[in-house]
């Protein structure tokens, strides 16, 4: 059985990311026909068509999407190997960090504090959905991912989720709503609330709490972004159900007040990595210092 030709795979990967054979040929200084032959030979080796043409654009088939995912992993691993093992004595090392787009910025800063200001570190920060970030972690395009829920792991995708922080959830709003220590039931019955969306684990905890209290609060807004919840609370739209770290500055300044801690409610934060033979050494200081 003939081995896979990695030159063919590299050319396929370039075309797949460009989506245009002519543009890729120009970029690689190849003739279009020569590039087409390389792709055709890879398709024959794999036994599947990798592209379908729609007008002037090329679109990946299902087999093509699988091949691109594997190709990205292979070439990212090769780049990592060079960076890890080369003996050129780099003075700076990069770390690529992904964070859920809706995650608290204050938490992210606290998590990154051990490497903030280091002149030997390049931080590359990305945000996205859970699926996007975990896919990038699998393909070695990210070193570590910050989430508020631990991902499912199996023998194929061995994610390592480390619980790095947990904070209680508070009922937070402008001082004009009353005074800290006011009765929780009275606050929830009297004022509208700003809640995370139904997909959030915090929302499920809140629904269980008000059910126990026998309360049906008025909902001012349902928001999937903590930064927006913070802004709505500052504008006086209602009492926000938030971890205090999200509004740390406002609480210190007195522009917002935590009226009550919601009993039994917590938000957890996870740092997710993947099993690698040569992990980025900058991950360790991030995980070894409590927030």
């Amino acid at each position: 059985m003939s081995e896979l030709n990695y030159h063919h795979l590299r050319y396929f990967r370039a075309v797949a990311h460009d989506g245009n054979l002519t543009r890729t040929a120009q970029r690689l200084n190849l003739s279009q026909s020569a590039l087409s032959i390389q792709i055709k030979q890879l398709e024959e080796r794999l036994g599947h068509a990798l592209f379908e043409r729609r007008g002037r654009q090329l679109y990946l088939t299902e087999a093509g999407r699988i091949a691109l995912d594997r190709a990205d992993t292979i070439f990212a691993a090769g780049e990592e190997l060079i960076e890890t093992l080369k003996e050129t004595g780099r003075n700076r090392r990069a770390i690529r960090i992904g964070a859920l787009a809706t995650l608290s910025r204050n938490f992210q800063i606290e998590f990154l504090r051990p490497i903030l200001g280091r002149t030997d570190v390049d931080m590359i920060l990305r945000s996205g959905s859970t699926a996007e970030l975990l896919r990038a972690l699998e393909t070695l395009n990210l070193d570590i991912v910050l989430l508020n829920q631990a991902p499912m792991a199996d023998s194929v995708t061995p994610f390592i989720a480390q619980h790095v922080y947990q904070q209680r959830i508070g009922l937070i709003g402008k001082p004009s709503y009353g005074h800290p220590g006011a009765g929780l039931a009275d606050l929830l019955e009297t004022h509208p609330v700003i809640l995370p969306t139904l997909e959030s684990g915090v929302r499920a905890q809140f629904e269980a709490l008000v059910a126990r209290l026998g309360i049906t609060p008025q909902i001012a807004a349902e928001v999937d972004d903590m930064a927006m919840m913070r802004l709505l609370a500052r504008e006086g739209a209602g009492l926000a159900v938030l971890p205090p770290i999200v509004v740390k500055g406002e609480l210190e300044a007195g522009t917002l007040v935590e009226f009550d801690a919601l009993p039994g409610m917590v938000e957890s934060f996870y740092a997710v990595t993947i099993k690698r033979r040569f992990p980025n050494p900058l991950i360790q200081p991030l995980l070894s210092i409590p927030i």
Side-chain angles (χ1 to χ4, degrees):
M1 189 175 184
S2 60
E3 294 182 354
L4 183 65
N5 187 314
Y6 287 93
H7 288 295
H8 296 165
L9 192 64
R10 182 181 295 278
Y11 290 136
F12 156 73
R13 181 173 180 249
V15 174
H17 282 296
D18 284 345
N20 185 287
L21 193 69
T22 302
R23 185 165 56 243
T24 305
Q26 292 172 344
R27 180 167 62 84
L28 298 178
N29 198 26
L30 293 171
S31 70
Q32 187 171 331
S33 60
L35 190 56
S36 296
I37 290 171
Q38 301 285 330
I39 302 299
K40 184 66 175 176
Q41 289 175 341
L42 179 62
E43 290 178 326
E44 290 173 354
R45 173 67 186 86
L46 296 177
H48 294 278
L50 301 176
F51 293 104
E52 59 176 292
R53 183 178 292 278
R54 301 177 197 168
R56 295 185 176 181
Q57 291 295 112
L58 292 174
Y59 292 86
L60 289 168
T61 62
E62 182 178 358
R65 287 193 295 271
I66 294 171
L68 179 59
D69 179 62
R70 299 297 187 272
D72 282 340
T73 300
I74 289 168
F75 288 108
E79 292 166 4
E80 180 192 20
L81 174 63
I82 293 170
E83 290 299 316
T84 302
L85 300 182
K86 72 180 181 181
E87 298 179 0
T88 56
R90 279 189 66 185
N91 293 324
R92 294 177 67 84
R93 174 175 284 275
I95 182 167
R96 298 158 298 176
I97 302 162
L100 190 65
T102 58
L103 211 62
S104 163
R105 273 43 171 184
N106 286 340
F107 159 70
Q108 293 179 50
I109 289 295
E110 293 302 318
F111 179 80
L112 296 172
R113 198 167 296 285
I115 59 174
L116 288 179
R118 281 181 52 171
T119 58
D120 61 332
V121 174
D122 285 325
M123 283 191 300
I124 302 165
L125 306 179
R126 298 284 185 266
S127 64
S129 67
T130 298
E132 291 169 340
L133 296 172
L134 293 179
R135 187 160 53 247
L137 188 62
E138 284 186 84
T139 57
L140 308 182
N141 289 313
L142 289 174
D143 296 306
I144 191 167
V145 166
L146 301 177
L147 301 174
N148 57 8
Q149 291 185 358
M152 297 292 291
D154 53 40
S155 59
V156 178
T157 53
F159 295 121
I160 304 169
Q162 182 163 327
H163 186 268
V164 293
Y165 189 60
Q166 179 174 288
Q167 181 159 342
R168 72 183 191 282
I169 303 298
L171 199 59
I172 294 166
K174 292 179 73 68
S176 57
Y177 277 107
H179 59 87
L184 176 60
D186 290 340
L187 286 168
L188 292 174
E189 287 182 323
T190 305
H191 303 292
V193 290
I194 304 163
L195 296 174
T197 55
L198 292 169
E199 294 79 12
S200 165
V202 170
R203 177 64 177 274
Q205 295 176 56
F206 180 79
E207 296 293 345
L209 173 63
V210 294
R212 291 196 302 271
L213 295 174
I215 296 170
T216 304
Q218 176 190 347
I219 299 176
E222 299 178 75
V223 188
D224 66 356
D225 184 350
M226 288 189 182
M228 179 56 71
M229 292 182 71
R230 168 177 163 265
L231 292 175
L232 289 172
R234 286 173 52 180
E235 291 297 319
L239 292 171
V241 176
L242 279 175
I245 193 172
V246 177
V247 290
K248 179 180 177 182
E250 288 83 354
L251 292 176
E252 291 173 350
T255 54
L256 290 176
V257 174
E258 182 181 1
F259 291 98
D260 208 337
L262 297 174
M265 290 184 56
V266 295
E267 171 113 41
S268 294
F269 299 92
Y270 296 87
V272 184
T273 55
I274 197 165
K275 292 179 182 177
R276 291 166 63 166
R277 186 177 181 87
F278 299 105
N280 191 322
L282 290 173
I283 291 175
Q284 191 55 42
L286 294 174
L287 298 181
S288 60
I289 298 178
I291 296 177

